[in-house]
C-alpha cells in the first residue's frame, strides 16, 4: 500500500475556453476538490504537445491530465478533434512502453461543467493515489540488466527463401539499360542505385551521372537499404533531376515524401523494381515476410523480370508478421514488466541518431532534439534523455512510418524500434483506416480527423 | 536579467482566509529572478494597482505576476496598470489562486503549497514573455441578428436606430416568434400582438434593416469585427416583392395541413401566411405539404395568382455578408408535453399546453378568442391548470425552473375567468415564484378578485370519463387527495433550448450549457456576452426569460454592439503564430491542421530568382492563435506568441520540486 501521507502530483494541461472556464466556475460556485492538480493554461487542447506530457513525466509528475472542449464545441473549430487523435496514439504508445494508463488522463469539460471538473480531478487524483508513486522513474532500469522480460527476436525465425539468381540477373540488366537510356536522353542528371561495396553481404548506394557509369549498378538479394533517404539530402538535391532505383517498400517512402512536399514529382524518375524479398543476416528480412508491395505502388519505368512475381493487392499479404507475436507477448506482460523491458532497451541507446540518419522521413535539417531553447529532449545519452528521445522519435513517425525497418537495421544497440513502429502503424490502421505510403493525395492521419473518431478513454 | 515583481492579493478573506499569503510572498521573494514580492488586501483596488505601478517604476521590473482571481476577471485591469507603470501589457500575467485554489480547497497547507506552485509557474512563464504589440483590424459596422422574435426585433431596431446596418435572419416565414402567438401579456394584460406588430412593421420598413425570413445561417467564419456569414434563403416559391397578400392562392390550394402557428388547433393550406399580421406580409409555399412543385401536378396557386408572384422554379439562394458582430436571439422551445405521460397530452384532445391555450384565448386564434375546448367545441366550465410540467423535474424533464410559468398560468386562469365568469379555474402548483414588478400583486389578483383556486400539489393521473377529464392529485397543504372532473386541462410546460441549437452553436463556436442554453461570458458581470468576442446573446437563448427581461437583454446586446461599432479599428490580441523560415522544411502539415486557412506557402528564391524551396508563412489577419500548427510542426519551426514552447517549458519545469522556497510549512 502506498504511504498514506504521499500526495500525487498531477499537471493538467487545459484549454482556456472550456476546461479553464469550467474550473473557474467550480471556484465561483465554491465547490471543493482535491488540491493535487496544477493547471497549465493553453489556448486550445490542439496546442497541447505530447512533449509537454513527456517533460512533465520526466520532471517527476505522477500523473497528467489533458482536458479541453467537448467534440463539436471547440472554440477553434477542430483543435480538440486533432488532439483526440494525437492523444489516442500517444496514450497507446506510452502504454505499450509500460506506463500505467491511469497516469495519463483525458477529459472533455465545458465551461458550464463545474461539477464535472471537480469529479474529474477527484477521480484522477484518487486513481493515481491508489497507484502510488512510479516504481521505476523516467528512464530508470532494473538493477539487473537484460532481465527475464527480454522478448528475444531470435525466438521467431523468419523462413528462408531461396532467391532466384536468374530473376535477379535479368532485373540488373534491365536497371542498367533503363538508367543508361535516362542518362543518355538527359532525362535525369543522376541515377541513385545500388552498387557493390567494399564489404561482402551488403550493397552501397551509388550515384551515377554518366551513361558509362551504369555498370556500377547492381541488383541482388542484398539491396536491402532504402535509397529514398538520399532524395532529401542537399547534396543530391543540388545534382538536379534524380532517377532512383526503388523496390516496393522504397516507393512507399517516395509516396510519403511526395505527400509532405519534400520531393518534386516532376524532377523525379522512379525505376521500379519488382522484388521478392531481400536477405538480412542470411535470412529473409523480416519486413519482406509480410510485404504487400512486391511491385512498387508508383514508378515511371518498371523493370521487366523474366520470372513471374506474385503481385498482391495493396494491403494484402500472405504471411503473418512474426513481430506481431512479439508485440502480443509484450502486451501480455504487466505494465511494470513492459516498462522494465523498454527501459532496458533504451538504456542501450548511445544517441548516435543512426535511426534518424537512415530514416527517409526524418528529413528535418534541424531536428527537435538539437534545439536548445527550450531543450525538450535532454541531449545526453542518459536514461531520461534516451526515453524521451525514443518517445519523440516514435511519435514523429506515427502515421508516417512506411515500415522499411531501416532504423532497426541501422541501430548499433539493437533496440527494437521496429516493434514500436509496427505497434503504432497497426493502431493507426485499426483506428483510422490509414496506412502510410500508398496514396500521396490523402492527408496524414494525425493532421486530420473524423467527427466520429473513437476515444472512449476520454472522460 | 529578469526582474519580476510578484503581487499576492488577499481578496479580503477570499484568498487570505485559506492561503497563507505571507508564506506565499516569502516563497516568491526567494525565487530566482524575482526582484519584488508583496501582498495586499485588494490588488484590483486603486491603491492596489498603485502598488504595482510604483513597484514597476521603483524596482525597474521587467515583468509582473499578480496572484489573485481568474484572469477572466482582472487580466485587463493589471495589464492596464502595467502599461501605466511603463511596461508592455503582455509582460503582466496572473496566477489564479482564488477560483482555482482558495475557493476550492479547504486544507490551508495544501492550498498554500498549490498557490506557491502556481505563482512559481507563472514567474517562470513571465520571464519568457515578450513585449507584444496588438494587431489592429478594421471593424465592419454591420451586425447579424439571428432570430426574429421579440429579442431579435428589439436588438435589430436598437441597432438600426443607432445608425448601423443590421441583417435580421429568421428561419420561419414571418418574424414575431412566440410572442406573436400570445394573447395577452402579464402583468398588464395588454394584447401581445398590439404591442408587437408595430415593431414588426418597423423592422420591415427600416432602411437600415435587411430582413431575411425563411432563411438560416449556413456558415460563419472570421472573428470579431470581421465575420463572414453565409445565409441560406429557403425557396418560398413566392416572390416577396410581387405578392400582394390577397390570398387568392390559398383559396384554391387543395392541400390542407395543421397550422403550426395555432399549435395544430386550426388548419392552413400548403400555400399560406402564418397569421394575418405576418411580416413580411407575403405567402409561403411549404414544399413539404405541396402536392408537387411540378406544374403538371397541381399549379393551381400559380394560375390563381394575378400578380404573377408564384414562382415554382425558385431555388435556394446563398446570401453572403460581412458583419462585425453577431447577436444570437434564437429563443426557446417548449418541453414535449407527451413525455409527461400521466398527464395525457396527445392522448386526450382536451389536454392542451399553455401555448395552445394562448391561441384559444387569442382574438386571432382558431376560436376567435372564445374559450372552447378542442374535442367538441363546448365552453369548458371546469379548467385545471398544472404548473411545472417538465420544469423542476430532473426525472422526466429539466431540473431548472422555467421562471415564467407561474405568471402565465395566473394570467391564463384570470383570462379564462374574464371570458367564462361562471367557470371555475384550479391551479396545481409546487411554489409560486412571482418575483418581478407587479408580479406578486398579479397572482394575488387572480386568487382574490378572480377567485382562482390554487391547490398546492402535484397531479398523479388524468383519465377520460363521461366526456370529462378526471384529474387526480394531492393537496399537500391539507394532506387530502383531490379529484376534479375537468372540461379542459392546461399544462404549463417547461421552456427548453431551441431545437437545432447545437448545429448553430457549433458554427458560432459558442458554448452551450448542459441544457442547451448558450453560456454567457460571466453569469453576473457579462450576461449578454459570450466567450467568443463579437458574439452576443439576447433573450431566452441564454436562459428562460419573460418578455421584459428579454427586451432588456436585447437592448443590452444592442448597446454592446454599438460600443464595439463606435471604433473604426479594433485591437486584436497579438496571440498569433510565426514561422521560422530558416528551419521550416515545408511539409505543410501546419496547413492541413489550420482551421482558418491562415497558412500560406511562401517561395524562397535566390538572387537570380531560382526557386529554392517553399516554406510556410502565417497570415496574421486570419490566424486566431489556436496553436494547432505549432504541435503539428515536428521540428518546432512555428511558435505561438503568448503560449510559446519555452513559456510552457518554463511552467512545466517550474513545478518541480514543489516546495522550493517555501518556508518550513509542509511535509509533503
Amino acid at each position: 500500500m502506498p504511504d498514506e501521507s504521499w500526495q500525487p502530483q498531477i499537471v493538467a494541461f487545459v484549454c482556456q475556453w472550456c476546461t479553464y472556464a469550467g474550473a473557474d466556475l467550480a471556484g465561483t460556485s465554491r465547490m471543493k476538490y482535491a488540491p493535487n492538480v496544477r493547471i497549465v493554461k493553453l489556448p486550445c487542447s490542439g496546442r497541447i504537445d505530447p512533449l509537454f506530457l513527456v517533460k512533465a513525466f520526466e520532471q517527476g509528475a505522477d500523473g497528467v491530465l489533458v482536458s479541453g472542449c467537448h467534440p463539436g464545441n471547440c472554440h477553434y473549430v477542430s483543435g480538440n478533434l486533432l488532439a483526440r487523435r494525437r492523444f489516442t496514439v500517444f496514450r497507446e504508445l506510452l502504454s505499450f512502453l509500460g506506463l500505467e494508463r491511469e497516469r495519463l488522463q483525458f477529459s472533455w469539460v465545458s465551461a458550464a461543467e463545474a461539477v464535472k471538473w471537480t469529479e474529474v480531478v477527484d477521480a484522477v487524483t484518487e486513481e493515481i493515489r491508489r497507484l502510488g508513486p512510479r516504481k521505476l522513474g523516467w528512464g530508470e532500469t532494473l538493477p539487473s540488466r537484460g532481465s527475464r522480460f527480454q522478448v528475444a527476436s531470435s525466438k521467431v525465425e523468419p523462413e528462408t527463401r531461396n532467391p532466384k539468381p536468374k530473376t535477379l540477373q535479368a532485373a540488373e540488366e534491365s536497371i542498367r539499360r533503363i538508367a543508361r537510356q535516362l542518362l543518355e536522353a538527359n532525362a535525369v542528371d543522376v541515377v541513385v542505385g545500388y552498387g557493390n561495396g567494399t564489404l561482402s553481404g551488403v550493397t552501397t548506394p551509388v550515384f551515377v551521372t554518366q551513361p558509362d557509369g551504369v555498370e556500377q549498378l547492381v541488383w541482388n538479394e542484398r539491396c536491402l537499404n532504402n535509397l529514398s533517404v538520399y532524395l532529401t539530402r542537399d547534396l543530391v538535391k543540388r545534382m538536379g533531376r534524380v532517377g532512383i532505383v526503388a523496390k516496393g517498400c522504397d516507393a512507399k517512402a517516395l509516396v510519403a515524401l511526395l505527400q509532405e512536399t519534400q520531393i518534386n514529382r516532376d524532377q523525379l524518375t522512379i525505376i521500379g523494381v519488382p522484388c521478392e524479398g531481400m536477405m538480412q543476416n542470411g535470412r529473409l528480412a523480416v519486413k519482406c515476410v509480410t510485404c504487400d508491395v512486391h511491385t512498387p505502388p508508383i514508378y515511371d519505368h518498371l523493370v521487366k523480370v523474366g520470372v513471374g512475381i506474385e503481385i498482391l493487392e495493396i494491403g494484402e499479404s500472405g504471411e503473418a508478421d512474426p513481430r506481431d507475436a512479439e508485440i502480443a507477448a509484450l502486451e501480455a506482460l504487466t505494465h511494470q514488466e513492459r516498462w522494465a523491458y523498454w527501459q532496458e532497451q533504451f538504456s542501450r541507446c548511445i544517441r548516435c541518431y543512426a535511426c534518424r540518419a537512415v530514416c527517409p522521413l526524418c528529413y528535418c535539417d534541424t531536428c527537435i532534439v538539437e534545439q536548445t531553447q527550450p531543450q525538450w529532449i535532454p541531449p545526453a545519452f542518459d536514461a531520461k534523455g534516451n526515453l524521451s528521445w525514443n518517445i519523440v522519435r516514435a511519435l514523429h513517425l506515427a502515421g508516417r512510418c512506411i515500415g522499411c525497418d531501416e532504423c532497426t537495421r541501422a541501430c548499433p544497440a539493437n533496440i527494437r524500434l521496429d516493434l514500436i513502429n509496427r505497434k503504432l502503424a497497426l493502431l493507426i490502421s485499426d483506428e483510422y483506416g490509414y496506412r502510410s505510403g500508398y496514396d500521396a493525395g490523402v492527408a496524414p492521419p494525425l493532421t486530420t480527423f473524423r467527427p466520429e473518431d473513437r476515444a472512449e478513454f476520454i472522460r | 536579467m529578469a526582474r519580476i515583481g510578484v503581487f499576492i492579493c488577499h481578496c479580503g478573506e477570499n484568498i487570505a482566509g485559506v492561503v497563507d499569503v505571507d508564506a506565499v510572498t516569502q516563497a516568491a521573494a526567494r525565487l530566482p529572478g524575482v526582484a519584488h514580492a508583496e501582498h495586499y488586501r485588494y490588488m484590483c483596488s486603486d491603491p492596489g494597482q498603485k502598488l504595482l505601478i510604483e513597484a514597476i517604476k521603483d524596482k525597474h521590473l521587467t515583468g509582473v505576476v499578480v496572484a489573485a482571481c481568474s484572469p477572466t476577471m482582472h487580466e485587463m485591469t493589471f495589464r492596464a496598470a502595467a502599461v501605466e507603470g511603463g511596461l508592455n501589457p503582455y509582460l503582466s500575467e496572473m496566477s489564479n489562486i482564488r477560483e482555482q485554489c482558495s475557493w476550492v480547497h479547504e486544507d490551508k497547507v495544501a492550498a498554500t503549497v498549490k498557490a506557491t506552485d502556481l505563482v512559481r509557474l507563472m514567474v517562470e512563464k513571465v520571464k519568457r514573455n515578450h513585449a507584444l504589440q496588438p494587431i489592429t483590424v478594421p471593424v465592419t459596422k454591420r451586425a447579424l441578428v439571428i432570430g426574429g422574435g421579440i429579442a431579435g426585433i428589439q436588438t435589430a431596431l436598437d441597432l438600426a436606430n443607432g445608425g448601423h446596418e443590421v441583417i435580421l435572419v429568421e428561419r420561419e416565414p414571418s418574424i414575431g416568434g412566440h410572442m406573436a402567438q400570445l394573447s395577452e401579456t402579464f402583468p398588464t394584460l395588454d394584447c401581445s400582438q398590439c404591442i408587437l406588430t408595430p415593431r414588426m412593421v418597423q423592422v420591415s420598413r427600416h432602411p437600415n434593416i435587411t430582413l431575411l425570413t425563411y432563411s438560416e445561417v449556413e456558415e460563419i467564419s472570421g472573428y470579431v469585427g470581421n465575420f463572414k456569414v453565409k445565409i441560406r434563403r429557403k425557396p418560398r416559391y413566392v416572390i416577396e416583392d410581387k405578392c400582394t397578400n390577397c390570398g387568392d392562392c390559398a383559396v384554391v390550394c387543395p392541400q390542407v395541413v395543421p397550422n403550426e402557428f395555432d399549435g395544430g388547433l386550426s388548419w392552413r393550406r400548403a400555400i399560406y401566411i402564418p397569421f394575418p399580421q405576418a411580416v413580411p406580409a407575403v405567402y409561403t409555399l411549404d414544399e413539404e405539404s405541396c402536392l408537387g412543385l411540378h406544374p403538371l401536378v397541381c399549379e393551381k396557386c400559380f394560375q390563381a395568382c394575378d400578380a404573377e408572384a408564384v414562382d415554382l422554379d425558385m431555388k435556394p439562394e446563398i446570401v453572403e455578408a460581412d458583419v462585425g458582430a453577431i447577436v444570437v436571439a434564437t429563443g426557446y422551445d417548449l418541453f414535449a408535453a407527451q413525455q409527461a405521460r400521466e398527464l395525457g397530452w396527445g392522448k386526450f384532445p382536451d389536454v392542451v399546453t399553455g401555448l395552445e391555450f394562448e391561441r384559444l384565448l387569442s382574438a386571432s386564434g382558431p376560436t376567435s378568442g372564445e374559450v372552447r375546448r378542442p374535442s367538441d367545441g363546448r365552453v369548458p366550465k371546469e379548467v385545471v391548470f398544472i404548473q411545472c410540467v417538465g420544469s423542476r423535474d430532473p426525472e422526466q424533464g429539466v431540473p431548472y425552473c422555467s421562471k415564467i410559468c407561474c405568471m402565465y398560468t395566473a394570467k391564463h386562469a384570470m383570462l379564462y375567468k374574464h371570458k367564462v365568469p361562471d367557470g371555475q379555474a384550479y391551479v396545481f402548483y409546487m411554489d409560486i415564484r412571482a418575483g418581478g414588478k407587479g408580479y406578486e400583486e398579479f397572482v394575488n389578483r387572480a386568487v382574490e378578485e378572480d377567485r382562482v383556486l390554487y391547490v398546492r400539489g402535484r397531479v398523479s393521473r388524468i383519465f377520460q370519463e363521461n366526456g370529462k377529464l378526471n384529474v387526480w392529485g394531492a393537496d399537500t397543504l391539507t394532506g387530502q387527495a383531490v379529484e376534479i372532473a375537468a372540461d379542459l386541462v392546461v399544462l404549463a410546460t417547461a421552456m427548453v433550448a431551441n431545437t437545432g441549437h447545437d448545429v448553430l452553436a457549433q458554427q458560432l463556436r459558442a458554448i452551450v450549457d448542459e441544457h442547451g442554453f448558450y453560456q454567457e461570458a460571466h453569469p453576473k458581470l457579462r450576461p449578454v456576452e459570450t466567450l467568443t468576442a463579437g458574439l452576443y446573446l439576447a433573450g431566452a437563448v441564454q436562459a428562460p426569460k419573460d418578455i421584459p427581461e428579454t427586451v432588456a437583454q436585447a437592448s443590452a446586446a444592442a448597446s454592446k454592439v454599438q460600443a464595439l461599432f463606435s471604433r473604426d479599428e479594433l485591437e486584436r490580441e497579438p496571440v498569433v503564430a510565426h514561422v521560422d523560415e530558416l528551419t521550416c522544411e515545408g511539409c505543410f502539415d501546419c496547413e492541413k491542421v489550420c482551421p482558418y486557412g491562415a497558412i500560406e506557402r511562401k517561395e524562397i528564391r535566390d538572387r537570380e530568382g531560382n526557386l529554392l524551396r517553399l516554406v510556410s508563412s502565417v497570415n496574421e489577419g486570419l490566424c486566431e492563435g489556436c496553436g494547432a500548427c505549432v504541435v503539428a510542426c515536428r521540428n518546432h519551426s512555428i511558435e505561438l506568441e503568448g503560449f510559446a514552447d519555452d513559456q510552457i517549458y518554463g511552467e512545466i519545469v517550474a513545478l518541480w520540486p514543489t516546495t522550493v522556497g517555501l518556508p518550513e510549512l509542509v511535509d509533503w
Side-chain angles (χ1 to χ4, degrees):
Chain A
M1 278 301 288
D3 177 8
E4 283 300 313
S5 66
W6 177 75
Q7 289 288 348
Q9 293 177 18
I10 301 163
V11 194
F13 297 97
V14 310
C15 89
Q16 63 182 349
W17 300 102
C18 290
T19 304
Y20 194 88
D24 269 358
L25 185 60
T28 316
S29 318
R30 309 296 203 279
M31 296 166 179
K32 304 296 175 208
Y33 58 86
N36 304 60
V37 169
R38 307 288 182 264
I39 284 186
V40 175
K41 183 175 78 164
L42 293 147
C44 176
S45 50
R47 170 68 185 97
I48 303 170
D49 195 317
L51 278 176
F52 302 168
L53 282 65
V54 171
K55 185 51 86 180
F57 280 123
E58 188 189 298
Q59 290 289 305
D62 297 299
V64 173
L65 170 64
V66 171
S67 187
C69 306
H70 285 271
N73 280 347
C74 181
H75 186 81
Y76 303 105
V77 188
S78 53
N80 54 355
L81 302 179
L82 290 164
R84 181 166 65 183
R85 279 201 169 188
R86 190 174 293 130
F87 286 114
T88 300
V89 172
F90 182 65
R91 180 169 175 274
E92 282 301 318
L93 171 64
L94 285 202
S95 175
F96 186 60
L97 297 184
L99 190 79
E100 297 97 327
R101 285 184 189 272
E102 291 86 345
R103 298 200 188 275
L104 201 48
Q105 302 265 0
F106 302 88
S107 64
W108 305 130
V109 176
S110 84
E113 290 176 329
V115 177
K116 183 170 177 187
W117 171 248
T118 64
E119 289 168 356
V120 165
V121 170
D122 283 343
V124 165
T125 308
E126 199 40 50
E127 279 186 20
I128 295 170
R129 193 197 308 280
R130 246 184 281 132
L131 220 54
R134 289 215 306 264
K135 309 268 184 321
L136 273 181
W138 202 250
E140 281 174 26
T141 48
L142 286 176
S144 61
R145 285 167 58 122
S147 67
R148 65 191 173 88
F149 308 122
Q150 186 75 34
V151 179
S153 57
S154 56
K155 276 181 190 166
V156 192
E157 297 271 345
E159 64 170 295
T160 310
R161 280 186 196 167
N162 291 324
K164 303 180 182 71
K166 272 186 183 172
T167 319
L168 295 172
Q169 189 60 41
E172 185 173 276
E173 282 162 16
S174 181
I175 290 168
R176 288 180 182 172
R177 195 171 56 246
I178 295 169
R180 180 181 291 276
Q181 283 166 3
L182 288 173
L183 287 165
E184 279 173 353
N186 197 21
V188 297
D189 297 306
V190 60
V191 171
V192 185
Y194 299 91
N196 276 323
T198 46
L199 292 172
S200 67
V202 287
T203 52
T204 183
V206 289
F207 300 83
V208 181
T209 51
Q210 300 299 325
D212 292 341
V214 299
E215 297 307 318
Q216 295 173 58
L217 294 169
V218 299
W219 183 256
N220 53 39
E221 74 289 350
R222 302 187 299 277
C223 297
L224 183 67
N225 32 340
N226 187 346
L227 300 179
S228 61
V229 68
Y230 295 104
L231 294 188
T232 53
R233 299 289 184 263
D234 273 349
L235 207 63
V236 178
K237 276 187 183 170
R238 272 189 235 119
M239 292 171 117
R241 297 156 303 161
V242 179
I244 185 168
V245 177
K247 308 182 290 292
C249 45
D250 308 336
K252 278 165 73 181
L254 297 177
V255 170
L257 288 172
L258 284 169
Q259 199 173 9
E260 295 176 8
T261 61
Q262 294 306 305
I263 49 177
N264 192 340
R265 189 70 183 87
D266 304 338
Q267 304 278 309
L268 181 70
T269 307
I270 304 168
I271 307 170
V273 192
C275 163
E276 262 189 307
M278 290 292 157
M279 304 298 284
Q280 185 175 14
N281 303 331
R283 277 199 297 270
L284 186 68
V286 177
K287 68 169 173 177
C288 302
V289 175
T290 49
C291 177
D292 57 4
V293 282
H294 292 299
T295 303
I298 53 167
Y299 56 81
D300 298 297
H301 303 275
L302 188 63
V303 167
K304 299 277 192 306
V305 285
V307 189
I309 280 183
E310 188 188 0
I311 296 176
L312 296 166
E313 287 292 308
I314 282 176
E316 180 194 302
S317 120
E319 314 276 338
D321 194 314
R323 288 167 301 189
D324 291 355
E326 293 178 80
I327 291 172
L330 270 175
E331 285 182 327
L333 298 176
T334 64
H335 274 281
Q336 217 183 326
E337 290 169 332
R338 206 154 60 229
W339 184 257
Y341 169 79
W342 284 112
Q343 299 308 315
E344 193 280 322
Q345 289 267 321
F346 295 149
S347 71
R348 302 202 296 260
C349 177
I350 53 167
R351 303 295 282 281
C352 66
Y353 302 121
C355 49
R356 186 182 70 185
V358 80
C359 175
L361 292 173
C362 276
Y363 48 71
C364 294
D365 284 330
T366 317
C367 176
I368 179 77
V369 79
E370 263 113 31
Q371 290 179 19
T372 54
Q373 289 186 329
Q375 186 128 45
W376 285 113
I377 301 155
F381 59 98
D382 60 6
K384 281 184 178 178
N386 286 358
L387 178 53
S388 296
W389 156 248
N390 278 288
I391 289 174
V392 169
R393 191 205 64 81
L395 274 183
H396 280 189
L397 286 161
R400 301 169 64 235
C401 172
I402 48 95
C404 68
D405 275 355
E406 288 288 271
C407 48
T408 318
R409 186 179 66 86
C411 180
N414 295 323
I415 300 171
R416 293 303 304 277
L417 302 172
D418 60 333
L419 294 184
I420 299 173
N421 292 343
R422 178 148 178 91
K423 165 72 191 163
L424 294 186
L426 288 173
L427 168 76
I428 284 167
S429 167
D430 285 351
E431 289 290 330
Y432 309 123
Y434 179 91
R435 287 156 14 99
S436 181
Y438 293 94
D439 185 355
V442 298
L446 294 187
T447 64
T448 184
F449 59 86
R450 278 184 309 224
E452 66 275 16
D453 284 342
R454 287 185 311 151
E456 280 94 15
F457 61 89
I458 302 178
R459 290 168 188 266
Chain B
M1 186 59 201
R3 294 180 59 79
I4 308 297
V6 180
F7 303 84
I8 320 284
C9 181
H10 301 196
C11 196
E13 280 295 291
N14 281 305
I15 292 170
V18 180
V19 171
D20 182 345
V21 287
D22 204 44
V24 178
T25 312
Q26 284 180 43
R30 293 180 204 171
L31 293 174
V34 169
H36 177 83
E38 64 180 313
H39 56 83
Y40 185 69
R41 267 188 84 69
Y42 289 104
M43 277 310 296
C44 60
S45 68
D46 205 36
Q49 292 188 48
K50 279 222 174 69
L51 283 179
L52 183 127
I53 294 164
E54 293 306 320
I56 293 173
K57 289 177 181 162
D58 294 347
K59 303 274 178 83
H60 307 290
L61 300 181
T62 59
V64 290
V65 172
V66 183
C69 48
S70 168
T72 348
M73 281 294 294
H74 276 307
E75 189 166 61
M76 287 302 161
T77 311
F78 295 116
R79 279 186 180 172
V83 171
E84 215 172 313
L87 267 187
N88 181 283
Y90 297 94
L91 298 174
S92 158
E93 291 279 2
M94 287 188 77
S95 278
N96 188 342
I97 62 166
R98 192 181 75 174
E99 277 85 345
Q100 296 183 7
C101 191
S102 69
W103 275 355
V104 289
H105 305 315
E106 280 161 329
D107 179 338
K108 293 188 178 185
V109 173
T112 304
V113 173
K114 181 169 171 179
T116 314
D117 283 354
L118 294 178
V119 168
R120 195 168 60 241
L121 177 146
M122 210 39 90
V123 166
E124 286 306 314
K125 182 178 186 203
V126 85
K127 278 185 193 171
R128 294 160 168 86
N129 277 18
H130 300 147
L132 302 177
Q133 301 306 325
I135 300 168
T136 54
V137 287
V139 181
T140 309
K141 296 184 180 181
R142 185 183 301 117
L144 171 71
V145 178
I146 307 172
I150 180 60
I153 289 173
Q154 183 69 35
T155 306
L157 283 175
D158 279 4
L159 282 170
N161 290 336
H164 299 295
E165 284 179 46
V166 180
I167 300 170
L168 179 60
V169 176
E170 167 60 51
R171 70 175 169 190
E172 300 298 329
S174 168
I175 56 170
H178 284 307
M179 190 177 167
Q181 291 175 286
L182 308 182
S183 57
E184 273 84 25
T185 55
F186 61 80
T188 48
L189 294 188
D190 40 1
C191 147
S192 182
Q193 292 205 335
C194 311
I195 54 177
L196 177 67
T197 46
R199 300 202 160 206
M200 290 163 61
V201 175
Q202 271 181 40
V203 165
S204 70
R205 299 241 172 97
H206 206 295
N208 284 344
I209 299 180
T210 308
L211 178 59
L212 302 176
T213 52
Y214 216 45
S215 303
E216 287 185 57
V217 173
E218 178 107 343
E219 204 180 301
I220 292 173
S221 57
Y223 50 91
V224 56
N226 298 277
F227 293 104
K228 287 192 185 303
V229 295
K230 285 185 185 168
I231 300 155
R232 191 165 57 89
R233 306 206 68 184
K234 295 179 276 190
R236 69 195 317 156
Y237 302 104
V238 174
I239 300 162
E240 286 183 28
D241 295 340
K242 288 189 179 171
C243 178
T244 60
N245 194 19
C246 68
D248 290 348
C249 51
V251 175
V252 298
C253 179
Q255 269 303 81
V256 179
V257 291
N259 187 353
E260 304 86 355
F261 187 77
D262 283 337
L265 296 173
S266 69
W267 305 93
R268 66 165 173 85
R269 305 300 171 112
I271 189 162
Y272 70 109
I273 186 158
F275 54 103
Q277 306 93 323
V279 169
V282 292
Y283 277 71
T284 302
L285 176 57
D286 154 23
E287 63 178 26
E288 278 179 27
S289 318
C290 180
L291 280 178
L293 292 163
H294 199 279
L296 292 177
V297 180
C298 173
E299 90 162 352
K300 289 204 169 73
C301 51
F302 178 77
Q303 286 160 1
C305 184
D306 288 338
E308 294 180 353
V310 175
D311 173 8
L312 296 176
D313 295 326
M314 203 177 262
K315 295 274 174 289
E317 187 191 339
I318 300 287
V319 178
E320 289 185 33
D322 292 337
V323 296
I326 300 173
V327 180
V328 194
T330 48
Y332 64 96
D333 259 341
L334 288 179
F335 172 72
Q338 64 269 30
Q339 286 183 40
R341 285 155 119 197
E342 73 279 9
L343 303 180
W345 186 90
K347 200 159 67 172
F348 310 131
D350 294 332
V351 177
V352 299
T353 67
L355 202 57
E356 287 161 5
F357 191 63
E358 291 280 353
R359 297 309 302 150
L360 292 176
L361 291 170
S362 171
S364 67
T367 55
S368 304
E370 287 182 41
V371 183
R372 291 183 178 278
R373 61 184 211 170
S375 62
D376 52 11
R378 282 198 300 127
V379 176
K381 294 292 180 193
E382 307 258 335
V383 182
V384 170
F385 296 89
I386 302 171
Q387 294 193 175
C388 295
V389 176
S391 302
R392 303 176 68 193
D393 183 358
E395 303 294 316
Q396 285 195 38
V398 294
Y400 55 81
C401 165
S402 292
K403 200 171 186 181
I404 60 165
C405 321
C406 288
M407 294 309 298
Y408 76 66
T409 302
K411 175 191 78 177
H412 284 166
M414 205 184 262
L415 290 173
Y416 165 71
K417 288 285 283 182
H418 293 175
K419 299 200 177 205
V420 188
D422 61 337
Q424 182 57 53
Y426 306 87
V427 177
F428 281 91
Y429 70 101
M430 283 161 71
D431 299 287
I432 294 299
R433 296 181 170 180
K437 197 173 174 181
Y439 286 13
E440 181 69 14
E441 297 91 318
F442 184 76
V443 176
N444 282 339
R445 218 174 98 198
V447 176
E448 289 162 10
E449 290 181 20
D450 294 307
R451 300 282 165 195
V452 176
L453 198 63
Y454 271 75
V455 183
R456 187 178 189 277
R458 304 288 287 155
V459 170
S460 60
R461 200 181 157 204
I462 294 176
F463 58 96
Q464 237 169 353
E465 202 173 65
N466 305 329
K468 289 268 192 182
L469 290 164
N470 259 347
V471 181
W472 283 8
D475 182 344
T476 52
L477 294 181
T478 63
Q480 303 283 312
V482 181
E483 198 180 325
I484 300 168
D487 298 310
L488 185 70
V489 174
V490 182
L491 309 180
T493 44
M495 285 170 102
V496 296
N498 210 330
T499 48
H501 62 77
D502 39 355
V503 179
L504 184 63
Q506 281 186 25
Q507 282 170 346
L508 292 167
R509 283 175 272 142
I511 296 161
V512 294
D513 67 17
E514 62 205 292
H515 309 302
F517 291 109
Y518 280 58
Q519 185 78 19
E520 62 281 359
H522 187 281
K524 297 177 199 78
L525 300 178
R526 296 170 68 196
V528 299
E529 294 157 88
T530 65
L531 283 174
T532 307
L535 181 68
Y536 305 91
L537 305 175
V541 68
Q542 181 244 342
K545 283 191 185 61
D546 60 17
I547 296 169
E549 280 181 342
T550 294
V551 172
Q553 198 189 13
S555 287
S559 75
K560 283 281 174 194
V561 174
Q562 295 200 60
L564 176 70
F565 286 178
S566 65
R567 305 178 60 181
D568 295 321
E569 277 187 334
L570 275 182
E571 286 192 345
R572 275 189 75 205
E573 288 264 307
V575 178
V576 290
H578 293 295
V579 176
D580 181 349
E581 293 175 2
L582 202 66
T583 56
C584 172
E585 294 287 343
C587 73
F588 298 110
D589 274 5
C590 48
E591 188 184 48
K592 297 181 189 97
V593 299
C594 179
Y596 304 105
I599 304 280
E600 294 167 355
R601 295 189 179 200
K602 183 175 170 184
E603 296 177 343
I604 305 280
R605 292 181 180 275
D606 63 12
R607 267 186 237 175
E608 280 84 45
N610 301 315
L611 179 64
L612 294 179
R613 58 202 184 100
L614 285 173
V615 295
S616 294
S617 167
V618 176
N619 180 333
E620 284 190 1
L622 295 174
C623 177
E624 290 268 289
C626 71
C629 54
V630 184
V631 185
C633 184
R634 283 179 289 279
N635 73 354
H636 289 219
S637 294
I638 305 194
E639 203 52 284
L640 180 65
E641 288 291 1
F643 294 97
D645 263 8
D646 66 333
Q647 292 173 304
I648 312 296
Y649 180 91
E651 290 186 59
I652 297 170
V653 173
L655 281 174
W656 283 272
T658 42
T659 47
V660 168
L662 201 64
E664 53 292 336
L665 215 170
V666 280
D667 55 352
W668 75 321

